[in-house]
């Protein structure tokens, strides 16, 4: 009774486990849905696959067969002794075998299936799962029917030879019938074998659809290939316009199809019979032009004859086309069609070219009034057309003759070209004018025009070869085509090309520069008008070159800077003049630039030179790099005389100390009212040096705690100290800027954190983190930077840059040089205890809960499910008796 009570108490737990297993996925073995209908004597392939399994990826399979109730073992993938005795011979011969298609799928292959093989086939898989889930075998019914399909050729003959000519039509027949007890459909396909493989021509599928083979789609749509059904289960293939590709062996391939239990079509057997062997005789055609090479004079007539010969008999028509090409290697697509005569002897229209049919095999081409552009290669193309049964015509062969070279000798005009200079420059920017004249013209007919091309060649002192540069071309229509180098100057009117008269062309350079010195020559081209009113260049004549050159002297420019007030103090006006003198420059003008070379301690200009103010050759003043917004009008540059300039700087400050120079550029007038840069000059330096006995400022950075934790406040002090003369707090002010370098070394660019100007305005830079900063002045010489809620990215070297401002005795504020403090490194640490406090508490709590739950589950299992009563078997203890006591 105690055992029954324990069993009853375990039933709810077992039901819960079974309910959970019902919702879990298990092993699934699949075979095709039966019955599978197959024909006796054919090969049967039954696939089997398994999915949703555990264990190794490669699974094993066992196949068994049953005619009635008991199953007989056939073959296995893992046990060679699995096969039963009645199947060992067939398995050994390979008539029955397993073919693995993947790790989880195999195919049972039965060759030459017999009626005795009809029955149920079971596929099973040995378990590799941790738990028993799903199905481990599947069955399929195989039904074997008799072979009722017969395929035969026309009149019972298996194959017959056919000899046809290209363009003919032919028909082939085959008969296919089935007496299968099942409801089957036939699939008929006509195939051709011209090489080693059979190709599909046209099919009538088991679903009653026509399907052309690859490459036969266009011929099927045109009706050149058809498949018709006739009486007595015959299938007729009709082929029209046969070509050489249609030659080969033809066969009729018939397959029998049945619809399976799952609704899909399955092919159960296939038979074929060779119907005919077709050979296509190609039509021979030769196309020859009677003349090989022809040379004619311009405006004469060109006469060519095309002869064609063919072995074609019966009714046919010829088509002839004449082509022209500039190269003997051009294809028909690149050549020009001159005239054509179709198979009805209709000639295309042309004015100067005619095509006539001399006799049955000769066609004459006549070109009247030939021109130079008619030189090239002529060839003839002929095609043979034959009639079809539906009244249309089909082209069976096409050939092209070898090209014939035709050279047309042009009637060249005779003339001379003379070039002279009517104006030559003696100085830079003087004009230059050249005239190119055509003389001794022999042929003055109206069908002749002249074009000119102007060239420039630079003359070098050495023997180096310089390529000729095209300036411009005036073509036969008097259209000007500028060259690359002179295009801009022609558009600006600096270079002018014109035609003075019918035989004179001119070139004029308005303002000749030194780069224009060299040789000039012209090339006159004669253009003749052809019969199609087009103009063709017939001859080029080049003139003798004309040299354009003048002697030049080097430009000289001298600049002298003079300091007008030798002594002055900060706050006064600095004044200096720049006097300029030049030689060999025609009517020069000057542009002046004032530069300052500051001491290396001044960081406003890293390269040491600052561009202050400039005045161009048109007396337009421009501030360059002058960035002091409080003294925008503090610098003045003016023109005193044509060669003298004065620079003034008002309310000078100590930061203005340095070397001042005048940079002068001389400009000479160029073409079109433009100015051309001639030469540059630099003056002597003028030094501004303030001798002061004021205070000396020093800056340092201090922090009581440079190492802090995340979330705390970092305090950094920027302390200014003075040495020397003491100042009142109202007579000094400071601009303070804080920077940070986010690295342990100073190898990165500093980042501006905040700045406080001398008016008390604080400017902060944009920040990405959640920390914040504040900047304040806590005493006249101390400035404090605070970083609130520090984060790990706030570490790095921090320093301040101070710009002192001192008020002079005259009440003017003077800016002192910037002072940079030595950086201090701020380290931000993480509070490990606060960071891991909550994760530790959560982990300890979860571990305690899981431990208590495990103890509770173990106690319940031992109390109700696993309790058993064990009865000990009483064993008697007997001593062995000595054999002497017997």
């Amino acid at each position: 009774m105690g055992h029954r009570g324990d069993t009853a108490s375990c039933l709810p737990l077992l039901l819960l486990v079974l309910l959970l297993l019902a919702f879990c996925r298990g092993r699934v073995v699949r075979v095709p849905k039966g019955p599978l209908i197959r024909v006796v004597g054919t090969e049967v392939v039954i696939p089997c696959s398994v999915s949703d399994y555990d264990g190794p990826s490669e699974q094993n399979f066992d196949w068994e067969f049953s005619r009635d109730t008991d199953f007989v073992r056939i073959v296995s993938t893992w046990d060679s002794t699995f096969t039963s005795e009645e199947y060992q011979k067939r398995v050994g011969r390979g008539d029955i075998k397993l073919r693995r298609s993947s790790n989880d799928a195999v195919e049972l292959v039965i060759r030459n299936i017999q009626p005795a093989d009809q029955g149920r086939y079971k596929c099973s898989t040995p378990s590799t799962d941790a738990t028993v889930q799903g199905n481990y075998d599947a069955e399929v019914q195989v039904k074997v029917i008799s072979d009722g399909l017969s395929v035969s050729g026309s009149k019972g003959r298996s194959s017959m030879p056919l000899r046809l000519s290209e363009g003919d039509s032919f028909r082939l027949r085959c008969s296919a019938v089935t007496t299968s007890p099942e409801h089957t459909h036939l699939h008929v396909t006509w195939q051709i074998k011209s090489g080693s493989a059979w190709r599909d021509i046209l099919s009538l599928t088991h679903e009653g659809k026509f399907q052309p083979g690859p490459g036969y789609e266009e011929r099927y749509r045109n009706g050149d290939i058809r498949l018709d059904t006739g009486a007595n289960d015959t299938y007729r293939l009709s082929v029209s316009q046969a070509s050489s590709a249609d030659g080969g062996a033809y066969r009729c391939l018939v397959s029998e199809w049945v619809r399976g239990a799952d609704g899909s079509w399955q092919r159960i057997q296939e038979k074929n019979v060779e119907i005919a062997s077709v050979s296509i005789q190609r039509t021979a055609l030769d196309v020859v032009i009677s003349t090989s090479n022809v040379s004619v004079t311009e405006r004469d007539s060109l006469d060519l004859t095309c002869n064609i010969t063919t072995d074609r008999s019966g009714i046919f028509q010829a088509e002839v086309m004449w082509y022209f090409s500039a190269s003997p290697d051009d294809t028909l697509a690149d050549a020009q069609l001159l005239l054509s005569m179709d198979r009805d002897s209709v000639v295309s229209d042309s004015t100067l070219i005619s095509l006539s049919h001399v006799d049955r095999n000769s066609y004459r081409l006549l070109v009247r009034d030939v021109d130079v552009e008619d030189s090239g290669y002529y060839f003839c193309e002929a095609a043979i057309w034959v009639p079809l049964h539906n009244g249309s015509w089909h082209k069976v062969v096409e050939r092209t003759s070898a090209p014939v070279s035709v050279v047309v000798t042009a009637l060249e005009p005779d003339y001379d070209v003379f070039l002279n200079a009517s104006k030559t420059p003696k100085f830079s920017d003087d004009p230059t004018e050249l005239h190119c004249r055509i003389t001794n013209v022999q042929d003055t007919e109206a069908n002749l025009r002249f074009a000119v091309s102007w060239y420039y060649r630079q003359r070098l002192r050495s023997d180096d070869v310089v390529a000729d540069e095209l300036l411009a071309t005036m073509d036969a229509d008097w259209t000007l085509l500028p060259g690359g180098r002179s295009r801009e100057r022609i558009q600006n009117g600096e270079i002018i090309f014109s035609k003075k008269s019918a035989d004179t062309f001119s070139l004029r350079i308005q303002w000749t520069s030194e780069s224009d010195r060299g040789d000039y020559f012209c090339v006159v081209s004669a253009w003749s008008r052809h019969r199609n009113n087009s103009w063709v260049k017939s001859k080029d004549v080049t003139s003798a070159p004309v040299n354009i050159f003048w002697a030049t002297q080097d430009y000289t420019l001298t600049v002298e800077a003079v300091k007008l007030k030798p002594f002055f103090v900060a706050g006064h006006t600095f004044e200096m003049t720049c006097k300029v003198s030049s030689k060999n420059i025609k009517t020069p003008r000057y542009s002046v630039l004032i530069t300052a070379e500051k001491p290396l301690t001044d960081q406003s200009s890293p390269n040491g030179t600052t561009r202050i103010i400039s005045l161009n050759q048109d007396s337009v003043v421009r501030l360059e790099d002058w960035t002091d917004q409080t003294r925008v009008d503090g610098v003045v540059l003016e023109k005193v005389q044509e060669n003298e300039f004065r620079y003034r700087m008002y309310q000078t400050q100590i930061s203005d100390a340095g070397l001042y120079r005048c940079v002068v550029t001389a400009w000479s007038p160029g073409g079109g009212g433009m100015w051309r840069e001639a030469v540059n000059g630099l003056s002597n330096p003028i030094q501004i040096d303030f001798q002061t006995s004021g205070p000396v400022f020093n800056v340092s950075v201090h922090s009581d705690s440079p190492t802090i934790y995340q979330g705390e406040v970092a305090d950094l002090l920027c302390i200014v100290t003075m040495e020397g003369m003491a100042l009142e707090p109202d007579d000094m002010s400071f601009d303070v800027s804080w920077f940070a370098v986010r690295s342990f070394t100073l190898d990165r660019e500093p980042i501006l954190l905040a700045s406080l100007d001398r008016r008390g305005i604080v400017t902060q830079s944009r920040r990405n983190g959640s920390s914040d900063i504040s900047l304040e002045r806590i005493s006249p010489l101390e400035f404090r930077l605070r970083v609130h809620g520090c984060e790990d990215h706030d570490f790095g070297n921090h320093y301040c840059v101070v710009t002192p401002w001192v008020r002079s005795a005259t009440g003017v504020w003077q800016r002192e040089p910037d002072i940079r403090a030595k950086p201090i490194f701020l380290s931000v640490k993480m509070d490990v205890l606060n960071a891991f406090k909550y994760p530790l508490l959560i982990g300890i709590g979860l571990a305690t809960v899981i431990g208590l739950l495990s103890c509770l589950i173990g106690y319940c299992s031992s109390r109700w499910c696993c309790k058993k009563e064990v009865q000990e078997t009483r064993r008697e203890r007997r001593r062995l008796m000595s054999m002497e006591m017997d």
Side-chain angles (χ1 to χ4, degrees), residues 636-864:
V636 176
L637 178 61
E638 56 185 352
K639 184 177 181 179
V640 180
Q641 297 180 7
E642 191 65 32
N643 60 343
E644 184 177 353
F645 302 87
R646 180 167 55 199
Y647 169 68
R648 290 176 180 174
M649 182 167 54
Y650 300 99
Q651 298 181 356
T652 56
Q653 299 180 4
I654 297 177
S655 59
D656 296 329
L659 298 177
Y660 288 76
R661 299 175 186 269
C662 298
V663 180
V664 180
T665 302
W667 301 78
S668 63
M674 305 297 292
W675 290 95
R676 181 170 54 87
E677 181 179 344
V679 66
N680 295 320
L682 183 66
S683 71
N684 55 299
I686 301 296
Q687 184 176 11
I688 298 180
D689 187 13
F690 298 98
Q691 301 295 330
T692 62
S693 60
V696 177
F697 296 94
N698 296 315
V699 180
S700 62
V701 177
H702 174 72
S703 177
D704 292 335
S705 53
T707 301
I708 59 174
Y709 291 95
Q710 290 185 358
E712 294 183 352
V713 179
D715 286 346
L716 301 176
L717 294 179
C718 182
I719 303 173
V720 182
T721 59
M722 290 189 303
E723 298 179 1
M725 184 180 67
L727 295 176
E728 295 294 331
D730 295 338
D731 293 336
M732 59 182 176
S733 182
F734 303 95
D735 292 339
V736 180
S737 299
W738 279 91
F739 295 88
V741 180
R742 305 300 186 193
S743 65
F744 294 96
T745 59
L746 299 176
D747 56 348
R748 296 185 180 180
E749 290 294 329
I751 301 173
L752 175 64
L753 300 178
S755 62
L756 174 68
D757 64 7
R758 59 194 179 101
R759 299 180 182 85
I761 300 176
V762 178
T763 304
Q764 294 185 6
S765 61
R766 186 175 180 180
R767 300 178 62 80
N768 296 327
S770 60
S771 61
D772 197 5
I773 60 174
S774 63
L775 178 59
E776 58 182 343
R777 184 176 66 180
I778 59 177
S779 69
L781 298 177
E782 292 183 354
F783 301 86
R784 180 170 60 193
L785 174 70
R786 283 185 172 180
V787 182
H788 304 274
C790 287
E791 297 180 353
D792 54 354
H793 60 77
D794 290 323
F795 86 101
N797 291 280
H798 293 68
Y799 64 90
C800 63
V801 177
V802 178
T803 304
W805 290 79
V806 179
R807 183 160 56 185
S808 63
T810 59
V812 178
W813 286 94
Q814 298 291 328
R815 178 178 176 176
E816 299 289 335
D818 295 342
I819 307 173
R820 173 177 169 176
K822 184 178 180 181
I824 184 173
F825 187 81
L826 180 63
S827 177
V828 181
K829 295 184 177 181
M830 182 178 65
D831 193 347
V832 179
L833 180 60
N834 291 332
F836 290 96
K837 178 171 62 178
Y838 292 105
L840 287 175
L841 291 177
I842 294 173
I844 293 172
L846 290 176
T848 302
V849 172
I850 294 173
L852 293 175
L853 184 59
S854 300
C855 293
L856 180 60
I857 294 172
Y859 174 76
C860 293
S861 300
S862 63
R863 178 67 180 82
W864 286 292

Side-chain angles (χ1 to χ4, degrees), residues 36-194:
L36 300 180
I37 300 175
R38 296 296 183 264
V39 179
V40 63
T42 61
E43 182 180 88
V44 178
V45 178
I46 307 175
C48 178
S49 63
V50 62
S51 61
D52 301 331
Y53 58 86
D54 297 333
S57 60
E58 183 174 287
Q59 293 290 296
N60 290 308
F61 296 84
D62 298 333
W63 282 90
E64 297 176 283
F65 170 71
S66 173
R67 295 187 183 89
D68 298 322
T69 57
D70 297 333
F71 280 91
V72 181
R73 294 177 293 179
I74 303 176
V75 68
S76 174
T77 60
W78 65 290
D79 188 2
S80 59
T81 63
F82 179 81
T83 306
S84 62
E85 184 177 355
E86 62 178 290
Y87 283 101
Q88 287 181 357
K89 292 183 179 181
R90 298 180 66 182
V91 172
R93 292 195 305 267
D95 294 340
I96 299 177
K97 63 180 180 179
L98 283 181
R99 184 168 56 201
R100 182 179 291 274
S101 56
S102 64
N103 288 336
D104 55 1
V106 297
E107 294 176 346
L108 176 64
V109 182
I110 303 176
R111 296 178 181 174
N112 191 18
I113 192 168
Q114 299 299 320
D117 295 325
Q118 178 173 295
R120 292 180 295 132
Y121 289 81
K122 181 172 68 173
C123 174
S124 60
T125 60
S127 175
T128 60
D129 304 327
T131 58
V132 177
Q133 300 179 24
N135 67 308
Y136 287 80
D137 56 60
E139 297 181 9
V140 61
Q141 179 73 24
V142 176
K143 183 178 181 181
V144 181
I145 62 175
S146 60
D147 183 6
L149 177 63
S150 63
V151 181
S152 61
S154 177
K155 297 180 182 180
R157 291 183 296 179
S158 60
S159 180
M160 61 178 181
L162 288 179
R163 294 184 177 274
L164 304 172
S165 298
E166 197 172 12
D168 292 347
S169 301
F170 63 93
R171 294 180 181 179
L172 302 176
R173 293 180 179 85
C174 80
S175 176
V177 62
T178 179
T179 59
S180 174
E182 298 293 331
H183 181 66
T184 59
H185 289 197
L186 297 183
H187 183 119
V188 180
T189 302
W190 282 94
Q191 294 181 322
I192 183 174
K193 182 180 179 181
S194 55

Side-chain angles (χ1 to χ4, degrees), residues 212-232:
Y216 290 90
E217 296 87 350
E218 184 68 23
R219 299 182 66 182
Y220 172 73
R221 288 193 294 267
N222 296 336
D224 295 337
I225 296 178
R226 303 192 312 275
L227 197 160
D228 303 320
T229 60
N232 300 325

Side-chain angles (χ1 to χ4, degrees), residues 10 50 127 150 162 262 269 276 312 387 403 496 517 595 683 689 742 880:
C10 292
V50 62
S127 175
S150 63
L162 288 179
D262 57 354
Q269 70 167 328
R312 186 80 183 189
I496 300 175
R517 294 186 297 185
T595 63
S683 71
D689 187 13
R742 305 300 186 193
L880 298 176

Side-chain angles (χ1 to χ4, degrees), residues 238-404:
S238 301
V239 179
S240 302
Q241 301 180 10
S243 62
S244 58
D246 294 326
Y250 285 77
R251 76 175 182 180
C252 181
L253 179 67
V254 181
S255 58
E256 192 173 5
W257 294 70
V258 66
R259 189 182 293 273
D262 57 354
S264 63
W265 287 96
Q266 301 175 7
R267 186 175 60 185
I268 58 177
Q269 70 167 328
E270 185 178 82
K271 293 183 179 180
N272 66 82
V273 61
E274 290 196 18
I275 304 300
S277 177
V278 179
S279 60
I280 306 298
Q281 184 69 28
R282 298 181 63 91
T283 301
L285 177 64
D286 292 333
V287 182
V288 178
I289 300 178
S290 57
T291 308
S292 58
N293 294 322
V294 180
S295 177
V296 294
T297 308
E298 188 178 7
R299 297 172 189 168
D300 288 345
S301 295
L302 173 64
D303 191 353
L304 298 175
T305 302
C306 178
N307 298 320
I308 63 174
T309 56
T310 180
D311 61 351
R312 186 80 183 189
S313 60
I315 302 175
F316 70 90
Q317 294 291 344
E319 180 184 16
V320 177
M321 288 171 286
W322 280 91
Y323 288 91
F324 168 78
S325 174
S327 172
D329 300 327
D330 287 348
T331 60
L332 289 180
D334 301 328
Q336 175 188 355
L337 177 62
L338 299 177
L339 274 182
S340 64
M341 178 182 292
D342 62 10
R343 59 178 180 268
D344 297 327
S345 299
V346 178
V347 182
S348 56
D349 187 23
S350 179
T351 304
L352 299 176
I353 307 176
S354 63
L355 177 60
S356 59
H357 194 176
V358 180
D359 54 35
R360 179 175 176 81
N361 298 325
S362 299
Y363 298 84
R364 178 189 179 192
L365 175 69
L366 180 63
V367 182
R368 294 179 292 274
D369 192 16
V370 295
D371 212 331
V372 177
E373 62 183 5
D374 294 326
S375 297
Y377 295 88
Y378 292 76
F379 50 94
C380 173
E381 182 187 47
I384 300 298
W385 293 77
V386 297
L388 300 178
H389 62 279
N390 58 359
S392 61
W393 290 79
H394 170 60
K395 182 166 59 176
V396 295
V397 65
E398 187 177 49
R399 294 290 185 269
T400 304
S401 69
V404 172

